[in-house]
Amino acid sequence: MPERLVTRFDGISRAPKMVVHATFLQKVILCAVAGFAAACLVQWGKVFVEGADKALNGGYEHRASDPLAPRK
């Protein structure tokens, strides 16, 4: 016999003691969402680092000359 959702005991409500398990499909969807979030975070990190590198070294690009570049 399942327990009621909320039981009162001395004025304090308790969570139900019934255990709820996730289905296989729910686990697959959760892993897909977590994988997508991780991929987004990695891509954001790459863009952030590239942008920071350009901002940091942007002032030196017009002065720097490539010694291996052909002369005009």
Side-chain angles (χ1 to χ4, degrees):
M1 182 166 170
E3 189 175 331
R4 292 187 333 198
L5 289 179
V6 177
T7 305
R8 292 271 187 198
F9 181 73
D10 292 336
I12 299 172
S13 62
R14 300 183 286 143
K17 292 186 178 182
M18 295 172 48
V19 178
V20 179
H21 294 284
T23 65
F24 178 73
L25 185 60
Q26 288 172 332
K27 290 178 185 179
V28 168
I29 292 171
L30 181 65
C31 287
V33 170
F36 181 75
C40 289
L41 188 62
V42 168
Q43 188 64 29
W44 176 83
K46 286 181 182 180
V47 170
F48 180 79
V49 169
E50 288 173 3
D53 191 39
K54 276 187 179 180
L56 184 62
N57 297 325
Y60 299 106
E61 287 180 0
H62 68 280
R63 291 192 219 167
S65 62
D66 187 6
L68 301 177
R71 300 268 175 178
K72 291 184 179 178

